[in-house]
């Protein structure tokens, strides 16, 4: 699962990407510096792993990861191929969620592509380009479907109605995620179309250091503008995060964070939020060889969770031994959890819960 960082040129995308990932994207004060999308595999910060490690004392600890893609800056006219338009839009299409970075700070030394700082205008520029691209996709599909609908094909007629609703919404400047459809229509027609504005979005307000804790007037404008979108707004001082990242010493980092009033780097909150945005959750395996966080989609069953480790585990799934994370921490070991009768045996229909500590029995 990938989350793509999008935004206008020079809003702090590549600096943010560098904070999140060990891959060093180019970062320069002019548009189109990042030509190829940079992909970073980022560890998901999870304090539960450290607690399990202290109890189990394993040989190694492996966190969950999320893929972050740094996509070069979009500009007005991208949907018509302006700038590196088509390439950017193709890269966004391949991601599963969007992290939309908005410039919410003043700095005369950093050029704004439109000459002034206005996060709402910037948001609308990007929204419009993505909506125009989706409209193009919908119109192409509509041309094909209309012919089949005219012959009396009931399925084609249903699809035509959905596409016409999508077309009307996009023409009115509404992103697909804000257009209401039945679960059946979403499953059958909307999701397979892979429309860009159907992807879940989080707005990252890039602020100056002094606004890192409480935000500023620009952030309030963004919150007001997106209040009907069911989207998270995260405040991050990206430049400050980059400075923190330069410090090798953990104590120094903590002191820096305390000085500006933060209890942890904003990038850690962002990674966890991106993980949630992608509809992911974590289960753990805990043994002397390793304590490991595994990623599954929210709503996954026991066999599907087993399949993340190995496809054979899913094929030959018999049952799962499950300990709730809180019980593991309370009793301190697998043996003591068993003694207390808190280990559960679950079958094929079990829906995995975030934080489950699991052991699978299978036979291939």
């Amino acid at each position: 699962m990938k989350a793509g960082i999008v935004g206008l040129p020079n809003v702090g995308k590549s600096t943010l990407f560098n904070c999140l990932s060990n891959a060093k994207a180019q970062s320069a004060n002019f548009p189109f510096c990042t030509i190829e999308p940079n992909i970073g595999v980022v560890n998901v910060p999870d304090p539960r792993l450290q607690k399990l490690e202290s109890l189990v004392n394993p040989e190694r600890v492996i966190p969950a990861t999320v893929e972050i893609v740094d996509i070069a800056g979009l500009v007005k006219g991208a949907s018509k191929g302006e700038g590196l338009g088509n390439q950017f839009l193709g890269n966004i299409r391949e991601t599963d969620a969007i992290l939309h970075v908005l410039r919410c700070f003043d700095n005369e030394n950093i050029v704004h592509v439109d000459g002034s700082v206005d996060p709402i205008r910037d948001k609308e520029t990007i929204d419009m380009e993505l909506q125009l691209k989706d409209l193009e996709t919908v119109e192409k599909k509509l041309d094909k479907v209309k012919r089949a609908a005219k012959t009396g094909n009931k399925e084609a007629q249903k699809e035509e109605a959905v596409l016409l609703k999508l077309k009307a919404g996009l023409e009115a400047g509404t992103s697909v995620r804000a257009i209401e459809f039945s679960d059946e229509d979403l499953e059958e027609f909307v999701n397979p179309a892979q429309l860009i504005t159907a992807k879940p979005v989080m707005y990252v307000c890039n602020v100056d250091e002094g606004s890192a804790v409480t935000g500023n007037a620009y952030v309030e404008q963004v919150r007001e503008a997106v209040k009907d979108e069911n989207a998270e707004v995260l405040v991050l001082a990206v430049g400050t995060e980059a400075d923190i990242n330069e410090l090798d010493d953990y104590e120094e980092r903590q002191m820096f964070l305390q000085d500006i009033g933060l209890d942890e780097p904003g990038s850690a909150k962002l990674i966890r939020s991106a993980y949630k945005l992608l509809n992911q959750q974590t289960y753990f395996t805990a043994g002397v060889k390793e304590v490991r966080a595994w990623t599954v989609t929210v709503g996954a069953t026991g066999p599907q969770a087993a399949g993340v480790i190995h496809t054979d585990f899913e094929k030959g799934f018999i049952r799962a031994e499950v300990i709730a994370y809180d019980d593991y921490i309370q009793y301190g070991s697998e043996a003591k959890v068993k003694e207390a009768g808190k280990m559960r045996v679950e079958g094929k229909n079990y829906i995995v819960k975030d934080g489950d500590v699991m052991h699978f029995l299978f036979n291939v």
Side-chain angles (χ1 to χ4, degrees):
M1 300 292 279
K2 293 180 195 162
I5 302 176
V6 306
L8 291 178
N10 285 355
V11 295
K13 296 183 315 303
S14 294
T15 310
L16 174 61
F17 177 80
N18 289 341
C19 290
L20 298 179
S21 132
N22 292 326
K24 290 292 178 194
Q26 288 170 288
S27 181
N29 186 19
F30 55 88
F32 308 131
C33 178
T34 317
I35 307 296
E36 290 299 317
N38 290 273
I39 299 180
V41 178
V42 182
N43 290 341
V44 178
D46 193 332
R48 295 175 299 183
L49 264 181
Q50 280 77 51
K51 288 208 175 161
L52 288 169
E53 180 186 12
S54 68
L55 293 174
V56 179
N57 200 19
E59 288 173 22
R60 59 183 183 165
V61 178
I62 302 174
T65 59
V66 61
E67 270 190 35
I68 305 283
V69 186
D70 177 25
I71 293 161
L74 274 167
V75 292
K76 243 179 223 151
S79 55
K80 304 267 188 295
E82 287 295 320
L84 301 171
N86 292 330
Q87 191 182 329
F88 298 171
L89 292 160
N91 293 333
I92 296 168
R93 195 176 299 261
E94 286 167 22
T95 65
D96 303 287
I98 294 172
L99 308 177
H100 187 159
V101 182
L102 295 166
R103 177 170 168 177
C104 293
F105 66 90
D106 295 304
N107 185 334
E108 288 173 11
N109 298 320
I110 299 176
V111 186
H112 190 290
V113 76
D114 286 330
S116 62
V117 177
D118 183 343
I120 307 307
R121 178 200 59 212
D122 296 354
K123 174 193 175 303
E124 285 167 357
T125 297
I126 298 253
D127 283 351
M128 189 172 71
E129 294 307 324
L130 301 184
Q131 287 160 6
L132 286 169
K133 199 65 188 172
D134 279 349
L135 187 58
E136 191 184 296
T137 306
V138 167
E139 284 173 340
K140 277 183 191 162
K141 273 187 156 317
L142 205 45
D143 285 346
K144 285 182 190 166
V145 171
K146 271 181 174 167
R147 287 194 288 273
K150 274 179 186 161
T151 65
N153 181 317
K154 290 274 187 284
E155 198 63 13
Q157 286 170 350
K158 273 168 72 179
E159 185 170 6
E160 183 185 27
V162 169
L163 290 169
L164 285 168
K165 188 175 175 181
L166 281 168
K167 183 174 185 282
L170 288 162
E171 283 174 341
T174 306
S175 292
V176 173
R177 73 181 81 83
I179 305 171
E180 282 190 28
F181 289 99
S182 68
D183 290 345
E184 189 189 334
D185 285 346
L186 277 171
E187 194 68 33
E188 220 169 315
F189 307 117
V190 181
N191 296 344
Q194 287 191 298
L195 298 167
I196 299 170
T197 66
K199 297 177 192 295
V201 67
M202 174 165 61
Y203 295 99
V204 181
C205 293
N206 182 11
V207 299
D208 55 281
E209 187 176 307
S211 307
V213 179
T214 55
N216 57 25
Y218 291 132
V219 175
E220 291 315 310
Q221 288 170 19
V222 173
R223 286 200 172 112
E224 181 60 28
V226 308
K227 66 176 190 289
D228 298 328
E229 279 192 43
N230 191 26
E232 187 176 350
V233 175
L234 198 81
V235 178
L236 206 63
V238 175
T240 306
E241 294 284 328
D243 293 340
I244 294 169
N245 239 23
E246 293 298 314
L247 301 171
D248 294 325
D249 184 70
Y250 175 78
E251 299 299 327
E252 280 183 37
R253 284 187 185 197
Q254 291 310 108
M255 279 168 65
F256 195 139
L257 285 166
Q258 278 171 8
D259 284 348
I260 57 173
L262 294 174
D263 52 0
E264 67 172 347
S267 52
K269 286 193 182 93
L270 176 68
I271 295 163
R272 282 200 297 271
S273 297
Y275 193 65
K276 273 196 192 138
L277 194 66
L278 290 163
N279 202 32
Q280 302 296 287
Q281 64 180 10
T282 302
Y283 77 84
F284 301 102
T285 50
V288 287
K289 283 278 180 213
E290 68 174 29
V291 164
R292 183 164 184 161
W294 299 89
T295 300
V296 287
T297 302
V298 173
T301 60
Q304 286 168 334
V308 174
I309 299 176
H310 199 288
T311 48
D312 284 352
F313 282 28
E314 184 169 2
K315 281 182 206 152
F317 181 93
I318 299 169
R319 63 181 182 273
E321 294 174 345
V322 183
I323 302 170
Y325 169 78
D326 288 342
D327 287 339
Y328 204 112
I329 300 306
Q330 184 185 339
Y331 294 99
S333 73
E334 191 177 305
K336 285 180 181 165
V337 171
K338 277 183 184 169
E339 272 174 36
K342 292 287 185 180
M343 179 185 276
R344 306 189 312 276
V345 174
E346 301 286 0
K348 290 183 177 177
N349 296 326
Y350 177 65
I351 303 296
V352 176
K353 292 178 184 62
D354 187 56
D356 278 350
V357 182
M358 303 184 81
H359 176 67
F360 300 105
L361 285 88
F362 70 102
N363 182 22
V364 176

